[in-house]
Amino acid sequence: EPFNNRLAAKYHLRKGPDGRRCKDCAHHYTKEYANLYHKCDQVTETNGPGTDIRVGWDACERFAEKAGDYGLLVEDGREC
């Protein structure tokens, strides 16, 4: 699926780890109104479709592994 929003254009040009998806990333979160919207905390949220992500997208260069049940970011083996 071609990327058609600002988020994808900015960060998804360079892939992250092979086999990882946005849904696996610590930066992924959801907002619920009438529907559920998937977002990334690496961009300023607009409350519009321009910053929505698709959970099935390949991970981008800013991928951060989720750590346990606490949602701590782990980058390069260090807790943030």
Side-chain angles (χ1 to χ4, degrees), residues 2-14 50 52-53 57:
F3 301 126
N4 61 358
N5 70 25
R6 286 176 283 178
L7 174 66
K10 187 170 184 179
Y11 297 117
H12 283 263
L13 295 175
R14 293 191 278 292
D52 287 353
I53 65 169
W57 282 351

Side-chain angles (χ1 to χ4, degrees), residues 9-37:
K10 187 170 184 179
Y11 297 117
H12 283 263
L13 295 175
R14 293 191 278 292
K15 276 183 66 172
D18 284 339
R20 303 314 301 258
R21 304 278 184 230
C22 287
K23 68 180 179 181
D24 303 320
C25 184
H27 298 298
H28 167 253
Y29 68 99
T30 58
K31 293 191 83 168
E32 187 170 0
Y33 296 104
N35 293 310
L36 189 65
Y37 301 94

Side-chain angles (χ1 to χ4, degrees), residues 6-80:
R6 286 176 283 178
L7 174 66
K10 187 170 184 179
Y11 297 117
H12 283 263
L13 295 175
R14 293 191 278 292
K15 276 183 66 172
D18 284 339
R20 303 314 301 258
R21 304 278 184 230
C22 287
K23 68 180 179 181
D24 303 320
C25 184
H27 298 298
H28 167 253
Y29 68 99
T30 58
K31 293 191 83 168
E32 187 170 0
Y33 296 104
N35 293 310
L36 189 65
Y37 301 94
H38 297 273
K39 302 286 186 175
C40 176
D41 69 12
Q42 295 296 291
V43 296
T44 303
E45 186 182 318
T46 64
N47 290 321
T51 54
D52 287 353
I53 65 169
R54 303 292 180 263
V55 295
W57 282 351
D58 289 335
C60 76
E61 63 185 349
R62 292 191 172 197
F63 178 83
E65 193 73 45
K66 290 182 182 177
D69 297 329
Y70 301 103
L72 299 175
L73 297 181
V74 176
E75 296 177 351
D76 301 324
R78 297 172 286 142
E79 288 190 2
C80 301

